[in-house]
Structure formats: C-alpha cells, structure tokens
C-alpha cells in the first residue's frame, strides 16, 4: 500500500541485499512507487526465486501502475571489487544511471566476548558490514557525481551507535559504517547527493524469531516500517538530510 507520493517514476533504484528479510520489503516498497527500474542484487538463488515469485504473483493479481517498472535480479557478492565493478557497469550499460542505492547487505555474529571471538569472525563482520558498503558506494558514486544527483541509504545498527557487549566485531563494523557515511556525505557536498544510514534495533524477521523464540516480538521493528524510512531517505522530501545516522527504534 503506497503511503506517500514520493516520485521515483523516472528513477533507477539499486537495492543490494534486496532479497533478504529487510531487503525484500525494501524491494517491494520501492516497487509500490513505480520507478523506471529496480535492480535487486542477490547471492542465494532460493532467496531470489522466492522474491521473484512473490513480486510477479502480485503483479499478476493487481492491475497496478507499477507494471511498467523494469525489474532485474543480478547476482553479486559485493565484498569483491571486481564483482561490484561488473555489477555497476552492467547496470549503467542497460539503464545509464543509478539514482538511488539502498544497501541492505549485512550480517551479524555476536554472543561472544572479544576473548572468545576469532580473527575469522572479526574479518567477516568487517567484510560484509563495512567493506561491502565502501565498495558499492565507491562505484555508484562515480556515476552519481557525474549526474549531480544521487541518494544512498545504508543500513547500520543501533549497536553501531552504542554497543551492548559481546558484540564487538559487529558493533565496530556498524560504527565504522556510520563514520563512512559521514565522510562520504562531506566529500560530495554541493553535488546534490544525499548519503545517510539508519540504525535499527532488532528487526522482526523470521530468523530473529527462530533465534529468540521467547522474546517479546511486539517491541521489534517491522521491516515494512524500515522500508518506508529508506524510501523517505531516498526521496526529495529528505533532500536537506545528509550524513546522518537515523535512529529507528520505534516507540515500544
Ligand atoms: N535483523 C536485525 O535485527 C538487524 C538489526 C539491525 C541492523 N540489521 C541490518 O539490516 C540489514 C538486513 O538485515 P536482515 O535481517 O534483513 O539480514 P538478511 O536477511 O541476512 O539479509 C541480508 C542480505 O544481504 C546479503 N548478503 C550478505 N553478504 C553479502 C555479500 N557479501 N554480497 C552480497 N549480498 C550479501 C544476504 O545474502 P545471503 O542470504 O546469501 O547471505 C541477504 O540477502 C543488515 O545490514 C543487518 O546488519 C539487522
């Protein structure tokens, strides 16, 4: 259900990690605004097929205006620069430009003190939460700078602003992402490019419910609500907001 009239009509939207729990809601929400094209990156064929089926089933049922939107699924591991370069050059070849990047790629390893954590776990958090954001931003920004237009939204975490303990690698990687966002936003000042991130607390996903079955799910944030915030930060209604890490912790 479209809630606002944000205009993405002539825009090309890139959603990295767009088939995951939050990413699939972000993809579906952008689709409600009938952009020119949506490129959804994925790693898992199963995740991609699930979302593809859902989107096309919905298209077939609803005679909606979003039928003109071109939807492309592109496989990419965005922790490798060669794959990121190839992804962006494929997109630019087909669509000329990327107006919006919603980078939802990320992951969590926690529940261990620093002394219990391995070097491999540390590296993995830095890779998927921080290096991924650096690489995709670097290559998308090159074309946004030429256009003098762009919106980038990354997904950090409340833990990136204040760690809870037993989450050092995750917290450090998400804190690094906040500083990366601030630095990039300053670098492109004057070029009509907004770069921000959101700081979710626990998101109400299937995998979180399975991992914490006795928790009070009503205090968790519905992914649909975060998707709307990401769309807002990608819209012209938020053009005065850049370089921020926006808390999205809800009211519970
Ligand atoms: N869930 C929460 O409670 C929570 C709270 C705060 C912040 N966040 C952040 O919110 C974002 C989405 O979380 P989520 O719960 O939706 O997680 P998710 O379901 O695991 O989605 C993450 C997506 O990123 C993809 N991905 C991971 N590594 C990748 C890589 N190297 N290259 C390309 N794609 C990659 C995953 O693909 P695969 O399935 O192939 O791994 C998956 O599609 C993440 O940045 C996460 O850190 C989540």
């Amino acid at each position: 259900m479209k809630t606002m009239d944000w205009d993405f009509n002539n825009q090309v939207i890139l959603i990295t990690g767009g088939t995951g729990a939050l990413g699939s809601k972000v993809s579906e929400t952008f689709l409600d605004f009938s952009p020119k094209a949506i490129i959804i990156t994925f790693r898992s064929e199963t995740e991609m097929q699930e979302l593809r089926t859902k989107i096309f089933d919905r298209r077939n049922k609803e005679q909606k205006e979003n039928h003109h939107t071109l939807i492309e699924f592109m496989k990419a591991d965005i922790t490798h620069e060669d794959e990121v370069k190839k992804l962006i050059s494929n997109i630019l070849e087909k669509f000329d430009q990327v107006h919006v990047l919603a980078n939802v790629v990320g992951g969590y390893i926690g529940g261990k003190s620093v002394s219990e954590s391995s070097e491999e776990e540390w590296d993995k958090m830095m890779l998927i939460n921080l290096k991924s954001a650096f690489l995709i931003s670097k290559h998308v920004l090159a074309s946004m700078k030429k256009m003098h237009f762009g919106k980038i939204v990354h997904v950090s975490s409340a833990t990136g602003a204040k760690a809870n303990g037993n989450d050092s690698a995750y917290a450090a990687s998400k804190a690094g992402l906040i500083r990366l966002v601030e630095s990039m936003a300053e670098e492109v000042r004057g070029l009509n490019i907004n770069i921000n991130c959101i700081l979710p607390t626990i998101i109400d996903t299937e995998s979180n419910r399975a991992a914490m079955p006795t928790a009070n799910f009503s205090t968790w944030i519905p992914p649909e609500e975060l998707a709307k915030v990401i769309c807002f930060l990608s819209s012209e209604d938020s053009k005065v907001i850049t370089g921020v890490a926006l808390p999205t912790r809800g009211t519970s």
Side-chain angles (χ1 to χ4, degrees), residues 61-170:
K61 274 190 207 126
E62 301 167 10
Q63 291 295 310
K64 287 199 67 152
E65 70 275 13
N66 70 23
H67 283 211
H68 77 260
T69 301
L70 294 161
I71 304 170
E72 292 263 351
F73 287 90
M74 293 188 181
K75 192 167 190 166
D77 182 331
I78 69 158
T79 60
H80 297 297
E81 187 158 27
D82 53 342
E83 289 200 32
V84 175
K85 271 189 190 165
K86 202 168 132 203
L87 170 75
I88 301 304
S89 84
N90 283 344
I91 296 171
L92 295 180
E93 215 169 89
K94 280 195 164 170
F95 302 106
D96 292 330
Q97 49 201 45
V98 175
H99 298 85
V100 173
L101 162 66
N103 173 34
V104 194
V105 166
Y108 175 78
I109 299 173
K112 287 178 182 177
S113 67
V114 166
S115 347
E116 293 161 335
S117 301
S118 66
E119 182 182 1
E120 195 189 2
E121 288 165 342
W122 175 270
D123 287 346
K124 186 169 181 199
M125 287 294 88
M126 293 302 153
L127 200 64
I128 65 173
N129 291 326
L130 191 51
K131 186 178 173 188
S132 56
F134 155 66
L135 288 177
I136 194 71
S137 303
K138 173 181 168 181
H139 290 282
V140 162
L141 270 173
S143 81
M144 287 180 172
K145 280 177 175 173
K146 282 188 204 147
M147 274 200 303
H148 280 218
F149 184 89
K151 312 280 181 188
I152 298 181
V153 185
H154 290 286
V155 181
S156 178
S157 165
T159 308
K162 173 78 181 75
N164 301 305
N166 291 330
D167 54 9
S168 51
Y170 177 74

Side-chain angles (χ1 to χ4, degrees), residues 16 28 37 40 42 99 149 151 163 168 190 212 218 228 238:
T16 46
E28 289 179 77
I40 300 168
F42 68 98
H99 298 85
F149 184 89
K151 312 280 181 188
S168 51
M212 296 171 268
S218 70
K228 283 188 258 177
S238 63

